[in-house]
Amino acid sequence: MSALDAPAHALVSAGGLVLATATRAVAAVRPAAKPLHPRGEVTQGRLFRRGAQPATGVAWLDEPGTDDVLVRRSRAIGLPGSAPDIHGLAVRVPRPDGGYGDLLLATTGWGRVTRFLLTASRSPRRRPMTTLLPYRTDRGSLLLGARAIGEDCFELAVATPEGEWTRFADLRVSALPAGDQDVSFDPVAHQVPGLEQYAAVERMREPSYQTARASRSE
C-alpha cells in the first residue's frame, strides 16, 4: 500500500496539524532547545521482542529478539507534576547497519479514532500511548502503541489504523541514567527498518521537528 485511505488521511492530517501547531505555539512563548518535551529522564532500557502474531511483514516486529535501548519519559508541555500533561515515551533502538531508529509515542486513546488523538493525563500509567501517525510497510499502514503494565514496564503493540492491537514486545526501563541526557529523538531522520514514514506524514510531521531544530540552533 503506497498511500493512505481517505479516513486515515483525514486523521493523520489532523494529528500532523496538532503537532506542528503545538510546537510553534510552545516555541513562541518558551524558546528552548526542545519546545516540546523540554525536560525528560533518559535512561537505559531493554526491549524483549516476542514477535507479532499474525506477522506484519516487518522483521523487527515479527522476529523475537532482545535490544538494549535508550528510553526517555517526558511531559510535552512541561507543566508542573500535579497538572495534566501529554506524556511522551521515546525509544531509540539499534539498527542492523550500526545506526539507530527512534520511536516516539504520546498519550492518546486506544480505540479506532482515539488512537489518533492526543490526551492529557496526570500519569503516563493511566493512559495508553501511540505513535499517533501510522507507518508505511510493504503490507500496509501500521500504528505502534504502548501501555504501562508496571512501574517501569510497558507492553508494546502494533495495529492497522482501524484494526485490533497485537502485543509484540515488552519494554523494561532501567533506573540507570543514559550518558547523554540531552539526546534528541527524531523519528523522521532516524527510522526503524521496515517502518517508513509516508510522504504525507513526513510533510505533516516535519514542521514540528524543523521548529525544534531551529530553536536548538538559536
Side-chain angles (χ1 to χ4, degrees), residues 62-106:
D62 297 342
E63 297 175 358
T66 303
D67 300 317
D68 290 324
V69 299
L70 288 182
V71 180
R72 184 190 69 198
R73 288 177 287 184
S74 58
R75 297 164 65 88
I77 309 301
L79 298 174
S82 59
D85 205 333
I86 297 168
H87 295 267
L89 178 69
V91 184
R92 173 161 290 179
V93 303
R95 294 171 50 110
D97 62 6
Y100 55 83
D102 290 338
L103 302 174
L104 264 63
L105 303 98

Short mmCIF file of all heavy atoms in Angstrom, two decimals, residues 62-106:
data_model
loop_
_atom_site.label_atom_id
_atom_site.label_comp_id
_atom_site.label_asym_id
_atom_site.label_seq_id
_atom_site.Cartn_x
_atom_site.Cartn_y
_atom_site.Cartn_z
N ASP A 62 8.24 -8.81 13.76
CA ASP A 62 7.86 -10.21 13.67
C ASP A 62 8.85 -11.18 14.31
O ASP A 62 8.47 -12.27 14.74
CB ASP A 62 7.67 -10.62 12.20
CG ASP A 62 6.54 -9.86 11.53
OD1 ASP A 62 5.69 -9.30 12.25
OD2 ASP A 62 6.52 -9.83 10.29
N GLU A 63 10.12 -10.80 14.37
CA GLU A 63 11.15 -11.72 14.83
C GLU A 63 11.46 -11.49 16.31
O GLU A 63 11.67 -10.36 16.74
CB GLU A 63 12.43 -11.55 14.01
CG GLU A 63 12.24 -11.87 12.53
CD GLU A 63 13.48 -11.57 11.71
OE1 GLU A 63 14.47 -11.06 12.30
OE2 GLU A 63 13.46 -11.83 10.49
N PRO A 64 11.50 -12.57 17.12
CA PRO A 64 11.88 -12.43 18.53
C PRO A 64 13.32 -11.94 18.64
O PRO A 64 14.16 -12.18 17.78
CB PRO A 64 11.75 -13.86 19.07
CG PRO A 64 10.85 -14.56 18.10
CD PRO A 64 11.15 -13.94 16.76
N GLY A 65 13.60 -11.21 19.70
CA GLY A 65 14.95 -10.71 19.92
C GLY A 65 14.98 -9.81 21.14
O GLY A 65 13.95 -9.50 21.74
N THR A 66 16.17 -9.41 21.51
CA THR A 66 16.37 -8.53 22.66
C THR A 66 17.24 -7.36 22.23
O THR A 66 18.29 -7.55 21.62
CB THR A 66 17.06 -9.28 23.82
OG1 THR A 66 16.27 -10.42 24.17
CG2 THR A 66 17.20 -8.38 25.03
N ASP A 67 16.78 -6.15 22.52
CA ASP A 67 17.50 -4.94 22.15
C ASP A 67 17.81 -4.10 23.38
O ASP A 67 16.92 -3.86 24.21
CB ASP A 67 16.68 -4.08 21.17
CG ASP A 67 16.36 -4.80 19.88
OD1 ASP A 67 17.26 -5.47 19.35
OD2 ASP A 67 15.21 -4.69 19.41
N ASP A 68 19.05 -3.65 23.52
CA ASP A 68 19.38 -2.64 24.52
C ASP A 68 19.04 -1.28 23.92
O ASP A 68 19.50 -0.95 22.82
CB ASP A 68 20.86 -2.71 24.89
CG ASP A 68 21.18 -3.97 25.69
OD1 ASP A 68 20.34 -4.38 26.51
OD2 ASP A 68 22.27 -4.53 25.49
N VAL A 69 18.25 -0.50 24.62
CA VAL A 69 17.70 0.73 24.06
C VAL A 69 17.92 1.90 25.01
O VAL A 69 18.23 1.73 26.19
CB VAL A 69 16.19 0.57 23.77
CG1 VAL A 69 15.97 -0.56 22.76
CG2 VAL A 69 15.41 0.28 25.05
N LEU A 70 17.74 3.11 24.45
CA LEU A 70 17.63 4.32 25.25
C LEU A 70 16.16 4.67 25.37
O LEU A 70 15.39 4.53 24.41
CB LEU A 70 18.38 5.48 24.59
CG LEU A 70 19.90 5.47 24.59
CD1 LEU A 70 20.43 6.74 23.93
CD2 LEU A 70 20.44 5.35 26.00
N VAL A 71 15.76 5.14 26.54
CA VAL A 71 14.36 5.48 26.78
C VAL A 71 14.27 6.86 27.41
O VAL A 71 15.04 7.19 28.32
CB VAL A 71 13.71 4.45 27.74
CG1 VAL A 71 12.24 4.80 27.98
CG2 VAL A 71 13.83 3.04 27.18
N ARG A 72 13.36 7.67 26.90
CA ARG A 72 13.09 8.97 27.52
C ARG A 72 11.61 9.04 27.87
O ARG A 72 10.75 8.83 27.02
CB ARG A 72 13.45 10.14 26.60
CG ARG A 72 13.26 11.51 27.30
CD ARG A 72 13.37 12.66 26.31
NE ARG A 72 12.24 12.67 25.39
CZ ARG A 72 12.22 13.31 24.23
NH1 ARG A 72 13.29 13.96 23.82
NH2 ARG A 72 11.15 13.27 23.45
N ARG A 73 11.34 9.34 29.12
CA ARG A 73 9.97 9.62 29.56
C ARG A 73 9.88 11.10 29.87
O ARG A 73 10.72 11.64 30.59
CB ARG A 73 9.62 8.76 30.77
CG ARG A 73 9.42 7.29 30.41
CD ARG A 73 9.15 6.42 31.62
NE ARG A 73 10.34 6.23 32.44
CZ ARG A 73 10.37 5.44 33.51
NH1 ARG A 73 9.29 4.80 33.89
NH2 ARG A 73 11.49 5.30 34.20
N SER A 74 8.86 11.76 29.33
CA SER A 74 8.81 13.21 29.45
C SER A 74 7.37 13.71 29.42
O SER A 74 6.42 12.95 29.18
CB SER A 74 9.61 13.86 28.30
OG SER A 74 9.08 13.44 27.05
N ARG A 75 7.24 15.01 29.65
CA ARG A 75 5.95 15.69 29.57
C ARG A 75 6.03 16.71 28.45
O ARG A 75 6.98 17.51 28.40
CB ARG A 75 5.62 16.36 30.91
CG ARG A 75 5.47 15.37 32.06
CD ARG A 75 5.54 16.05 33.42
NE ARG A 75 4.43 16.96 33.65
CZ ARG A 75 3.26 16.59 34.18
NH1 ARG A 75 3.06 15.33 34.53
NH2 ARG A 75 2.29 17.47 34.37
N ALA A 76 5.06 16.72 27.54
CA ALA A 76 5.15 17.51 26.32
C ALA A 76 5.24 19.00 26.58
O ALA A 76 6.05 19.71 25.98
CB ALA A 76 3.97 17.22 25.40
N ILE A 77 4.40 19.50 27.46
CA ILE A 77 4.37 20.95 27.72
C ILE A 77 5.33 21.31 28.84
O ILE A 77 5.81 22.43 28.92
CB ILE A 77 2.94 21.42 28.06
CG1 ILE A 77 1.95 20.91 27.00
CG2 ILE A 77 2.86 22.93 28.14
CD1 ILE A 77 2.26 21.37 25.60
N GLY A 78 5.60 20.38 29.72
CA GLY A 78 6.48 20.66 30.85
C GLY A 78 5.77 21.34 31.99
O GLY A 78 6.38 22.11 32.75
N LEU A 79 4.46 21.07 32.14
CA LEU A 79 3.69 21.66 33.23
C LEU A 79 4.10 21.03 34.56
O LEU A 79 4.71 19.97 34.59
CB LEU A 79 2.20 21.43 32.99
CG LEU A 79 1.62 22.08 31.73
CD1 LEU A 79 0.16 21.65 31.53
CD2 LEU A 79 1.73 23.59 31.80
N PRO A 80 3.77 21.69 35.68
CA PRO A 80 4.11 21.11 36.99
C PRO A 80 3.54 19.70 37.12
O PRO A 80 2.52 19.36 36.50
CB PRO A 80 3.45 22.08 37.97
CG PRO A 80 3.37 23.37 37.23
CD PRO A 80 3.13 23.00 35.79
N GLY A 81 4.19 18.89 37.98
CA GLY A 81 3.81 17.49 38.09
C GLY A 81 2.37 17.25 38.47
O GLY A 81 1.81 16.20 38.14
N SER A 82 1.72 18.18 39.16
CA SER A 82 0.35 17.98 39.59
C SER A 82 -0.67 18.27 38.49
O SER A 82 -1.84 17.92 38.61
CB SER A 82 0.05 18.88 40.79
OG SER A 82 0.24 20.25 40.44
N ALA A 83 -0.23 18.90 37.40
CA ALA A 83 -1.14 19.28 36.32
C ALA A 83 -1.15 18.22 35.23
O ALA A 83 -0.13 17.61 34.92
CB ALA A 83 -0.71 20.62 35.72
N PRO A 84 -2.32 17.97 34.61
CA PRO A 84 -2.37 17.03 33.48
C PRO A 84 -1.50 17.52 32.34
O PRO A 84 -1.38 18.72 32.09
CB PRO A 84 -3.85 17.04 33.09
CG PRO A 84 -4.58 17.52 34.30
CD PRO A 84 -3.65 18.51 34.95
N ASP A 85 -0.85 16.61 31.67
CA ASP A 85 0.02 16.95 30.55
C ASP A 85 -0.01 15.78 29.57
O ASP A 85 -0.50 14.69 29.89
CB ASP A 85 1.45 17.19 31.04
CG ASP A 85 2.25 18.10 30.11
OD1 ASP A 85 1.94 18.13 28.90
OD2 ASP A 85 3.19 18.76 30.59
N ILE A 86 0.49 16.02 28.37
CA ILE A 86 0.64 14.96 27.39
C ILE A 86 1.99 14.28 27.68
O ILE A 86 3.04 14.93 27.61
CB ILE A 86 0.60 15.50 25.96
CG1 ILE A 86 -0.77 16.12 25.68
CG2 ILE A 86 0.89 14.39 24.95
CD1 ILE A 86 -0.83 16.94 24.42
N HIS A 87 1.96 13.01 27.99
CA HIS A 87 3.18 12.30 28.34
C HIS A 87 3.78 11.65 27.11
O HIS A 87 3.06 11.19 26.21
CB HIS A 87 2.89 11.25 29.41
CG HIS A 87 2.44 11.82 30.71
ND1 HIS A 87 3.30 12.11 31.74
CD2 HIS A 87 1.21 12.20 31.15
CE1 HIS A 87 2.65 12.62 32.75
NE2 HIS A 87 1.37 12.69 32.42
N GLY A 88 5.10 11.62 27.08
CA GLY A 88 5.80 11.05 25.93
C GLY A 88 6.70 9.90 26.33
O GLY A 88 7.27 9.89 27.43
N LEU A 89 6.83 8.95 25.43
CA LEU A 89 7.76 7.84 25.59
C LEU A 89 8.57 7.73 24.31
O LEU A 89 8.00 7.51 23.23
CB LEU A 89 7.00 6.53 25.84
CG LEU A 89 7.85 5.26 25.98
CD1 LEU A 89 8.64 5.31 27.30
CD2 LEU A 89 6.96 4.02 25.95
N ALA A 90 9.88 7.95 24.40
CA ALA A 90 10.76 7.84 23.25
C ALA A 90 11.69 6.65 23.44
O ALA A 90 12.21 6.44 24.54
CB ALA A 90 11.58 9.13 23.08
N VAL A 91 11.87 5.87 22.38
CA VAL A 91 12.71 4.68 22.45
C VAL A 91 13.66 4.69 21.26
O VAL A 91 13.23 4.83 20.11
CB VAL A 91 11.86 3.39 22.42
CG1 VAL A 91 12.76 2.17 22.59
CG2 VAL A 91 10.79 3.41 23.49
N ARG A 92 14.94 4.58 21.53
CA ARG A 92 15.96 4.50 20.47
C ARG A 92 16.46 3.06 20.38
O ARG A 92 17.01 2.53 21.35
CB ARG A 92 17.11 5.46 20.75
CG ARG A 92 18.28 5.32 19.78
CD ARG A 92 19.16 6.55 19.81
NE ARG A 92 18.49 7.70 19.20
CZ ARG A 92 19.03 8.92 19.11
NH1 ARG A 92 20.25 9.14 19.60
NH2 ARG A 92 18.35 9.90 18.54
N VAL A 93 16.24 2.43 19.23
CA VAL A 93 16.59 1.02 19.05
C VAL A 93 17.74 0.90 18.05
O VAL A 93 17.87 1.70 17.12
CB VAL A 93 15.37 0.22 18.56
CG1 VAL A 93 14.21 0.38 19.53
CG2 VAL A 93 14.94 0.65 17.17
N PRO A 94 18.59 -0.11 18.22
CA PRO A 94 19.71 -0.30 17.29
C PRO A 94 19.23 -0.85 15.95
O PRO A 94 18.29 -1.64 15.90
CB PRO A 94 20.60 -1.30 18.02
CG PRO A 94 19.68 -2.07 18.90
CD PRO A 94 18.62 -1.07 19.32
N ARG A 95 19.89 -0.43 14.88
CA ARG A 95 19.63 -0.95 13.54
C ARG A 95 20.71 -1.95 13.16
O ARG A 95 21.84 -1.87 13.65
CB ARG A 95 19.63 0.19 12.53
CG ARG A 95 18.52 1.21 12.67
CD ARG A 95 18.75 2.42 11.76
NE ARG A 95 19.04 2.01 10.39
CZ ARG A 95 18.21 2.20 9.36
NH1 ARG A 95 17.04 2.78 9.56
NH2 ARG A 95 18.55 1.81 8.16
N PRO A 96 20.39 -2.90 12.27
CA PRO A 96 21.41 -3.87 11.83
C PRO A 96 22.62 -3.24 11.18
O PRO A 96 23.72 -3.80 11.20
CB PRO A 96 20.64 -4.75 10.83
CG PRO A 96 19.22 -4.63 11.23
CD PRO A 96 19.07 -3.22 11.72
N ASP A 97 22.45 -2.04 10.59
CA ASP A 97 23.57 -1.39 9.90
C ASP A 97 24.48 -0.60 10.84
O ASP A 97 25.40 0.08 10.40
CB ASP A 97 23.04 -0.47 8.79
CG ASP A 97 22.16 0.66 9.32
OD1 ASP A 97 22.04 0.81 10.56
OD2 ASP A 97 21.57 1.39 8.49
N GLY A 98 24.20 -0.69 12.14
CA GLY A 98 25.02 0.02 13.10
C GLY A 98 24.46 1.36 13.51
O GLY A 98 24.97 1.99 14.45
N GLY A 99 23.42 1.83 12.82
CA GLY A 99 22.76 3.07 13.20
C GLY A 99 21.68 2.82 14.23
O GLY A 99 21.72 1.84 14.97
N TYR A 100 20.71 3.71 14.27
CA TYR A 100 19.63 3.55 15.23
C TYR A 100 18.34 4.14 14.66
O TYR A 100 18.37 4.96 13.74
CB TYR A 100 19.98 4.22 16.57
CG TYR A 100 20.37 5.67 16.46
CD1 TYR A 100 19.42 6.68 16.41
CD2 TYR A 100 21.72 6.04 16.39
CE1 TYR A 100 19.78 8.01 16.30
CE2 TYR A 100 22.10 7.37 16.29
CZ TYR A 100 21.12 8.35 16.24
OH TYR A 100 21.49 9.66 16.13
N GLY A 101 17.24 3.70 15.20
CA GLY A 101 15.93 4.21 14.82
C GLY A 101 15.22 4.72 16.06
O GLY A 101 15.39 4.18 17.16
N ASP A 102 14.43 5.78 15.90
CA ASP A 102 13.71 6.39 17.02
C ASP A 102 12.21 6.15 16.89
O ASP A 102 11.62 6.35 15.81
CB ASP A 102 13.97 7.90 17.06
CG ASP A 102 15.40 8.24 17.47
OD1 ASP A 102 16.05 7.39 18.10
OD2 ASP A 102 15.84 9.36 17.15
N LEU A 103 11.59 5.77 17.99
CA LEU A 103 10.15 5.65 18.09
C LEU A 103 9.66 6.67 19.10
O LEU A 103 10.22 6.77 20.20
CB LEU A 103 9.75 4.25 18.54
CG LEU A 103 10.21 3.07 17.68
CD1 LEU A 103 9.83 1.76 18.36
CD2 LEU A 103 9.58 3.14 16.29
N LEU A 104 8.64 7.43 18.74
CA LEU A 104 8.06 8.42 19.65
C LEU A 104 6.58 8.11 19.84
O LEU A 104 5.84 8.00 18.86
CB LEU A 104 8.24 9.84 19.11
CG LEU A 104 9.45 10.63 19.63
CD1 LEU A 104 10.74 9.96 19.21
CD2 LEU A 104 9.41 12.07 19.12
N LEU A 105 6.17 8.00 21.09
CA LEU A 105 4.78 7.74 21.41
C LEU A 105 4.30 8.79 22.40
O LEU A 105 5.09 9.31 23.21
CB LEU A 105 4.60 6.34 22.01
CG LEU A 105 5.07 5.17 21.15
CD1 LEU A 105 6.48 4.72 21.60
CD2 LEU A 105 4.11 4.00 21.24
N ALA A 106 3.02 9.11 22.34
CA ALA A 106 2.43 10.10 23.24
C ALA A 106 1.07 9.60 23.71
O ALA A 106 0.43 8.78 23.04
CB ALA A 106 2.29 11.46 22.55
#
